[in-house]
Amino acid sequence: MGKEVLVLEASADVGGVWHHNGYPGARCDVESYDYSYSFSPELEQEWRWSERYATQPEILRYIHHVVERFDLRRDIRFNTRMRSARYDEEQALWLITAEDGAQWQARYLLMCVGQLSTTKAPSFAGQEKFTGRIIHSGLWPKEPVSFAGKRVGIIGTGSSGMQMTPIIAQQAEHLTVFQRTPNYSIASANAPVSDEEDQRVKASYRARREQAWNSPSGLGFMPNKQSALQATPQEREQVYEAAWNRLGFGFALAYYDILLDQAANDTAADFIRRKIAALVKDPVVRDKLTPRGHPFGARRPSVDSGYFQAFNRANVELADVREAPIVEFTATGLRTQAKHHELDMVIFATGFDAFTGSLLKPEIVGRGGMALREKWAQGPVTQLGVAVADFPNLFIVVGPGSPSLLSNVLVSTEEQIDWLAQLLRHMDDSGALEFEATHAAERDWVAHVNQRARETLYLSTDSYYNGAEVAGKPRVFMPYSGGVRGYRRLLQNCVARGYEGFELRNQPLGTRSTP
Ligand code: NAP
């Protein structure tokens, strides 16, 4: 588009979460061909994925390839964290200041800071006394970490904890998994990509993309039009078995009402519980690993490669910290209310301050001195998930109020960036200098996001979708649950109606004389 662009990157290299989450077993739950950029047919054709679900090193290699291929590195300033951004109302420019004091002025500010990039770790009593090593899954060291001969503890059983457990179990002398909430997980149907499959996908890549763009979550799966409650138990068993054996996340769409209706969900949850039961030998451990009390999919489920089976190993122990919470760290391990665990290393797989953590870290100040932290004190407020009233020319990518973490984020990112590019072109053509969401549009959008969430089971339990992962965080539903296809239609309708819900101004509002 001929624009001058500068990317500020807090890390020393590209990759975002795939740069930081180098823990053993890290792998994407979205199929490789779908978890990739669609903007370049040449890129699509030349990249060869080796597995159906790519590992973290392979995804990082892909990201590096994209950066080199499109010569993006020269526009990126590494080791540069934005400290603040202040909007100059008269000039319609953002004044951006980095932690190191460097400053820039920019017409547009795009926040691409990720939804799971601010790690979250509890601080336990006596943690400073521990003489072993503590590592957070989301800040994994760049040098190899050896588990050989070590007694390792993992705190947390979300996707990160579940992915690393079977790998560390194989390498460590002893592994203790500290579990607070058992998680649903679908067995990964991972497989190497054959040359035939690669050729087949590449011969009709556009059709595959169309399918992803038109599916609810950008994964290419269309929901079964039937209700789980209309099928006979035998039919359901067959449908669930087929979904379990191939679909990963797509399991949630085996019937259209699994995420909408508690009774329908019970049938899916019950199937998964029976699968877990068949995988775990010890009845007490099996019982503790079984998720109950929250619907399948209402918290983010995992797609695992041998998680439950790892507990059949003699060197793996499950510590139920809901039943017997962690009391303190000691010099040689940690103590729960049940016993002391001798440990050489503790891994915090305790997650992130999701959706808003990284957006609210820098001080972003818009029109009239309004700070984003102040504006979002009761929870994020946006128009269409992309912009915020009082913050002209600020664009949020894959943030709250958009499909974001309920979708294939590659699809959602491209969907929003294409829309933004169209907006900027329109502004260039019409001489507009400012775009800004209106307060009325924001109110309507937040109401719509909440309405769509109420139609689902997402609100029926605590999760990072609704701010429950951080004490004191506003308890509001963060992502948009209306799906990527529906969301794209809303973005398009907004354009067709002359950027409805936004004001586009040729003269910045701040330069107008007040009556
Ligand atoms: P997470 O899903 O938020 O899980 C954090 C875990 O830590 C939960 O089991 C939580 O228990 C536990 N925990 C937190 N504080 C604790 C405490 N004080 N004591 C004991 N347990 C505690 O985090 P995550 O596993 O890092 O995953 C975050 C998200 O990243 C995923 O949902 C996914 O979106 C993404 N991710 C994706 C992939 C992939 O594509 N394959 C892999 C990894 C991560 P409670 O549930 O009881 O709070």
Side-chain angles (χ1 to χ4, degrees):
M1 294 176 71
K3 301 251 179 246
E4 195 186 335
V5 176
L6 177 66
V7 179
L8 303 185
E9 170 55 61
S11 311
D13 211 336
V14 294
V17 292
W18 298 108
H19 173 70
H20 291 292
N21 287 260
Y23 60 81
R27 179 187 287 284
C28 190
D29 289 343
V30 178
E31 292 197 26
S32 312
Y33 287 105
D34 304 307
Y35 197 81
S36 63
Y37 294 112
S38 71
F39 67 82
S40 163
E42 296 79 19
L43 173 66
E44 282 176 343
Q45 291 299 320
E46 76 199 11
W47 185 260
R48 174 70 164 86
W49 292 107
S50 70
E51 290 182 89
R52 187 177 288 159
Y53 298 96
T55 59
Q56 174 266 341
E58 187 167 9
I59 296 170
L60 198 53
R61 278 199 300 281
Y62 173 75
I63 296 171
H64 278 259
H65 172 75
V66 172
V67 168
E68 305 313 327
R69 191 189 193 290
F70 297 97
D71 195 14
L72 305 179
R73 204 169 272 276
R74 65 193 166 117
D75 293 321
I76 308 174
R77 192 180 197 265
F78 291 101
N79 299 308
T80 306
R81 184 178 285 280
M82 182 174 103
R83 183 169 64 204
S84 67
R86 290 176 179 278
Y87 191 64
D88 178 332
E89 297 183 46
E90 287 193 4
Q91 296 191 72
L93 291 173
W94 281 97
L95 175 65
I96 294 152
T97 307
E99 295 281 2
D100 65 7
Q103 290 194 317
W104 300 270
Q105 282 188 317
R107 175 75 65 211
Y108 303 107
L109 176 60
L110 278 74
M111 296 301 290
C112 310
V113 290
Q115 316 76 32
L116 298 162
S117 44
T118 295
T119 56
K120 159 177 84 73
S123 70
F124 293 100
Q127 213 168 296
E128 68 292 344
K129 287 187 218 149
F130 183 54
T131 52
R133 191 170 181 190
I134 296 179
I135 307 176
H136 194 290
S137 62
L139 294 169
W140 199 260
K142 298 289 166 248
E143 73 281 358
V145 176
S146 170
F147 306 102
K150 299 224 164 63
R151 296 159 303 176
V152 181
I154 299 174
I155 303 177
T157 55
S159 295
S160 305
M162 289 179 118
Q163 284 191 330
M164 67 177 75
T165 290
I167 313 282
I168 297 177
Q170 284 166 21
Q171 298 173 15
E173 180 186 306
H174 190 268
L175 172 65
T176 309
V177 177
F178 295 89
Q179 170 194 275
R180 191 162 65 182
T181 310
N183 200 3
Y184 291 98
S185 183
I186 311 295
S188 167
N190 192 28
V193 174
S194 67
D195 286 342
E196 295 71 47
E197 188 180 359
D198 187 58
Q199 282 155 17
R200 190 173 49 74
V201 173
K202 286 176 177 170
S204 55
Y205 219 145
R206 285 298 94 184
R208 187 176 178 121
R209 297 297 193 185
E210 288 288 340
Q211 204 172 323
W213 296 332
N214 286 301
S215 63
S217 48
L219 299 168
F221 304 115
M222 294 311 287
N224 183 343
K225 292 204 171 75
Q226 200 186 0
S227 161
L229 302 175
Q230 280 164 0
T232 66
Q234 292 79 0
E235 283 166 353
R236 265 201 311 259
E237 201 67 10
Q238 279 176 8
V239 167
Y240 285 145
E241 189 66 33
W244 177 270
N245 288 328
R246 178 61 185 87
L247 296 190
F249 270 152
F251 185 89
L253 299 176
Y255 291 103
Y256 80 84
D257 49 358
I258 289 176
L259 294 174
L260 305 179
D261 180 278
Q262 185 63 57
N265 193 285
D266 288 344
T267 67
D270 181 58
F271 178 88
I272 298 172
R273 283 192 282 263
R274 279 186 281 119
K275 283 289 182 193
I276 295 170
L279 294 171
V280 185
K281 290 191 185 132
D282 183 302
V284 176
V285 176
R286 183 194 305 153
D287 189 56
K288 288 184 190 302
L289 285 169
T290 303
R292 296 187 188 90
H294 67 274
F296 160 69
R299 298 160 62 92
R300 207 280 205 172
S302 192
V303 177
D304 74 283
S305 303
Y307 172 72
F308 296 105
Q309 299 89 316
F311 292 91
N312 296 331
R313 298 175 61 100
N315 69 332
V316 178
E317 181 180 350
L318 181 70
D320 183 339
V321 295
R322 174 84 62 200
E323 195 179 85
I326 296 170
V327 177
E328 60 172 356
F329 271 68
T330 64
T332 58
L334 65 79
R335 189 188 318 282
T336 68
Q337 281 180 3
K339 69 178 226 190
H340 185 265
H341 296 261
E342 293 282 326
L343 298 166
D344 303 304
M345 186 188 290
V346 177
I347 299 168
F348 280 21
T350 47
F352 302 85
D353 181 352
F355 292 101
T356 51
S358 296
L359 280 169
L360 296 180
K361 240 193 226 169
E363 192 179 24
I364 301 179
V365 181
R367 182 186 304 295
M370 170 67 84
L372 192 62
R373 281 183 209 139
E374 191 187 326
K375 169 120 186 187
W376 284 10
Q378 305 304 317
V381 178
T382 70
Q383 154 64 340
L384 279 172
V386 295
V388 186
D390 305 313
F391 297 82
N393 295 357
L394 175 82
F395 195 82
I396 297 172
V397 180
V398 196
S402 79
S404 188
L405 293 179
L406 292 181
S407 70
N408 174 356
V409 291
L410 270 282
V411 168
S412 287
T413 304
E414 290 194 321
E415 196 166 65
Q416 288 189 331
I417 293 294
D418 286 346
W419 188 84
L420 176 68
Q422 189 183 1
L423 168 63
L424 298 192
R425 224 171 267 128
H426 173 75
M427 290 177 71
D428 287 350
D429 293 347
S430 61
L433 292 177
E434 259 183 356
F435 77 84
E436 184 176 351
T438 68
H439 289 97
E442 268 182 348
R443 274 194 297 277
D444 289 350
W445 182 246
V446 170
H448 177 65
V449 168
N450 284 314
Q451 174 53 34
R452 294 311 303 259
R454 280 195 293 273
E455 293 163 8
T456 71
L457 295 173
Y458 287 120
L459 300 181
S460 62
T461 188
D462 285 352
S463 75
Y464 67 63
Y465 295 143
N466 50 42
E469 84 285 13
V470 175
K473 195 166 167 170
R475 297 297 293 272
V476 297
F477 190 69
M478 304 271 170
Y480 177 58
S481 58
V484 298
R485 181 178 51 169
Y487 179 69
R488 190 171 64 246
R489 216 175 290 137
L490 292 170
L491 287 176
Q492 287 166 348
N493 288 347
C494 166
V495 179
R497 294 179 191 143
Y499 288 98
E500 189 179 47
F502 293 89
E503 280 182 17
L504 270 64
R505 307 180 195 111
N506 289 25
Q507 192 189 350
L509 198 58
T511 59
R512 291 182 199 169
S513 54
T514 40

